[in-house]
Amino acid sequence: MMNRVLLAGIMLCCCLASAAQTSVSPYSMFGIGVIDDGDHGANSGMAGLGIGVREENVLNTANPASLTSLQPKTFVMDIAAAGSISGFHGHGGSAWRGSGNIDRAAFGFRIGSFVSAAMGLAPFSMVEYKIGKETFIEGRDGTYSSWFTGSGGLHKIHMSLGFDVFRDLSVGLSGSIIMGQITSVEESDYWTSTVKSVSGITPYLDFGIQYHRNLGRYSSITAGVTGSYRKDFSMHNTYSLTDSNDSTTVAETVKPTARQSIPAYIGGGISFSARKFTVGVDYMFRKWSAIDSGSDFLRYKDMNRLTVGLRYTPDRYDVRRYWKHISFLFGVSADDSYLTVSGVSGTDWTVTAGMILPIRNSTSFYWSLKYERNSFPLYNRNTITENSIRLTVGLSFGETWFERKRYN
């Protein structure tokens, strides 16, 4: 057991060292970047549906209370990678960018009759942008070009616990450490300005509840609630100015510590499962309006998100035909965006599809494809419409512990 846990811990450390952006957005230049929507693992094919979803031996990061679905003597490990292509359209023209890397890594197991645990690594926010600007030279007939680029983001390492309170009721707690670095660079023909913002180790807690009830031999219903509080933390900044002609550092100082915030949220979900399918809906509210964006023309507003997902399996109990064990996933989500640009807000919506292909026992390979559109009205010169396609592939590995083989 300890060898497997140690191996999983080493895997998480390696993933942390290689973690990078899997999203590109010019709006990530504000605050701590674009908050990750949490649609990791097998539920990515259902647009991140998971607050009220419960699947046996599946690591569902949307609700820590779902960990009690892990069966005794079972070790589950999940690792996924993602890549995306994003297109941007505005009054300044169009552009396309691509990115990708490790998306998440997690493992979980039962540690008692009523308690399950999981550890994992996942992105928390992502920063990746490159924006050009032409500036008029005062007193002269001409302009000079400058580029604003950003990279990095925050990641979270979490330890989650799920507890069986009663036969049908479970609660969960997820404690995370959030940390990372964001680098912002302004480059022109004459100088390069670089700001590196490093977060301290920030503790953060999420809470979850799930109620699961069997309605028949093959049918059940699950309802869940998740939430967390607003969290303020500090980013320690260093500033350097470099001469572009000879690459010499003109100035290097420590800037005042910047205060950043993570919004409070609450969400609820419900799903119904039968022999061949699971269908569910999630609702999420994030209190962004209580946070200052630090920008004059971009503001934060409260966000509401609705997600609907479906999982269809032809016949998981058919022992003769493999294709009937394959699960087909579909999902749709929409939200009213947490951004207003010059007083105008847009609508974000997502469509996903995917498959889960069982390999043996509790081990399976999964993939999902997501199309996402962030739409702002283009009559405003500051707004940009984003379209992205994201591919996620992953492996969920399950193994039985402490079971002695018997021979007749």
Side-chain angles (χ1 to χ4, degrees):
M1 173 180 175
M2 289 305 299
N3 289 338
R4 294 186 180 92
V5 174
L6 179 60
L7 176 62
I10 294 173
M11 178 190 71
L12 294 183
C13 293
C14 293
C15 290
L16 180 62
S18 64
Q21 297 78 24
T22 54
S23 178
V24 180
S25 172
Y27 295 114
S28 66
M29 70 184 297
F30 302 99
I32 58 175
V34 176
I35 300 295
D36 185 78
D37 54 17
D39 59 346
H40 306 289
N43 68 346
S44 61
M46 297 188 290
L49 183 80
I51 298 176
V53 173
R54 189 179 183 86
E55 293 284 347
E56 185 176 297
N57 291 334
V58 173
L59 292 177
N60 177 12
T61 57
N63 191 337
S66 68
L67 288 175
T68 54
S69 66
L70 297 179
Q71 297 302 297
K73 301 180 181 180
T74 301
F75 176 86
V76 179
M77 186 163 56
D78 195 327
I79 184 167
S84 66
I85 299 175
S86 303
F88 311 97
H89 176 69
H91 287 287
S94 301
W96 289 87
R97 291 288 302 277
S99 63
N101 213 293
I102 297 295
D103 189 52
R104 94 148 179 179
F107 65 92
F109 49 88
R110 277 272 184 177
I111 58 176
S113 300
F114 307 101
V115 185
S116 298
M119 287 187 64
L121 165 72
F124 187 81
S125 73
M126 292 163 282
V127 176
E128 180 75 10
Y129 61 88
K130 186 173 183 179
I131 301 172
K133 179 183 177 182
E134 291 287 332
T135 305
F136 286 97
I137 302 175
E138 188 175 351
R140 294 186 182 180
D141 233 1
T143 63
Y144 70 90
S145 301
S146 56
W147 288 93
F148 300 85
T149 59
S151 60
L154 303 181
H155 299 86
K156 67 175 181 180
I157 301 174
H158 66 86
M159 171 69 180
S160 304
L161 294 173
F163 304 89
D164 285 311
V165 180
F166 301 111
R167 179 181 176 182
D168 299 323
L169 183 68
S170 60
V171 298
L173 174 67
S174 182
S176 304
I177 294 175
I178 298 174
M179 55 186 178
Q181 176 177 298
I182 298 172
T183 302
S184 305
V185 179
E186 181 180 355
E187 186 176 8
S188 73
D189 297 332
Y190 311 102
W191 44 263
T192 300
S193 172
T194 304
V195 178
K196 290 185 178 180
S197 302
V198 180
S199 72
I201 295 177
T202 303
Y204 186 64
L205 293 175
D206 296 270
F207 311 92
I209 302 173
Q210 266 195 354
Y211 176 80
H212 177 77
R213 182 77 172 181
N214 290 323
L215 303 177
R217 184 178 179 184
Y218 299 112
S219 60
S220 63
I221 189 170
T222 305
V225 176
T226 59
S228 190
Y229 53 91
R230 170 178 168 172
K231 178 67 176 180
D232 297 326
F233 63 99
S234 300
M235 299 286 287
H236 307 289
N237 301 323
T238 58
Y239 167 81
S240 64
L241 183 65
T242 305
D243 190 317
S244 296
N245 293 323
D246 54 11
S247 300
T248 59
T249 301
V250 179
E252 189 168 4
T253 60
V254 177
K255 298 186 71 175
T257 299
R259 299 291 293 175
Q260 300 288 355
S261 300
I262 301 168
Y265 77 89
I266 186 168
I270 188 169
S271 69
F272 173 77
S273 295
R275 178 166 182 162
K276 294 187 176 183
F277 69 89
T278 296
V279 62
V281 59
D282 282 354
Y283 167 76
M284 177 76 72
F285 170 80
R286 291 187 184 273
K287 185 72 175 171
W288 278 99
S289 62
I291 299 175
D292 183 10
S293 68
S295 170
D296 293 331
F297 73 92
L298 184 143
R299 303 288 184 184
Y300 294 144
K301 59 178 280 294
D302 294 339
M303 187 196 76
N304 301 273
R305 171 176 289 169
L306 188 67
T307 302
V308 178
L310 169 69
R311 172 174 174 167
Y312 174 75
T313 308
D315 190 349
R316 66 182 67 187
Y317 302 101
D318 190 323
V319 297
R320 295 174 300 171
R321 285 162 289 196
Y322 170 79
W323 68 269
K324 286 197 172 185
H325 292 243
I326 298 174
S327 295
F328 301 88
L329 312 176
F330 307 94
V332 178
S333 72
D335 65 66
D336 53 359
S337 183
Y338 65 95
L339 300 174
T340 61
V341 181
S342 299
V344 177
S345 183
T347 301
D348 304 342
W349 57 273
T350 299
V351 178
T352 63
M355 297 173 66
I356 301 176
L357 294 90
I359 299 175
R360 63 173 181 85
N361 299 330
S362 298
T363 300
S364 60
F365 170 81
Y366 59 85
W367 66 266
S368 68
L369 196 64
K370 177 171 79 171
Y371 171 76
E372 184 174 10
R373 179 180 176 88
N374 301 332
S375 180
F376 282 87
L378 289 179
Y379 63 78
N380 189 305
R381 65 181 181 87
N382 293 321
T383 58
I384 297 173
T385 296
E386 303 178 32
N387 296 273
S388 66
I389 298 175
R390 171 173 166 144
L391 175 66
T392 300
V393 294
L395 181 68
S396 180
F397 171 79
E399 185 178 12
T400 302
W401 286 357
F402 310 122
E403 190 170 285
R404 294 182 180 179
K405 294 182 179 180
R406 296 184 179 182
Y407 302 93
N408 293 326

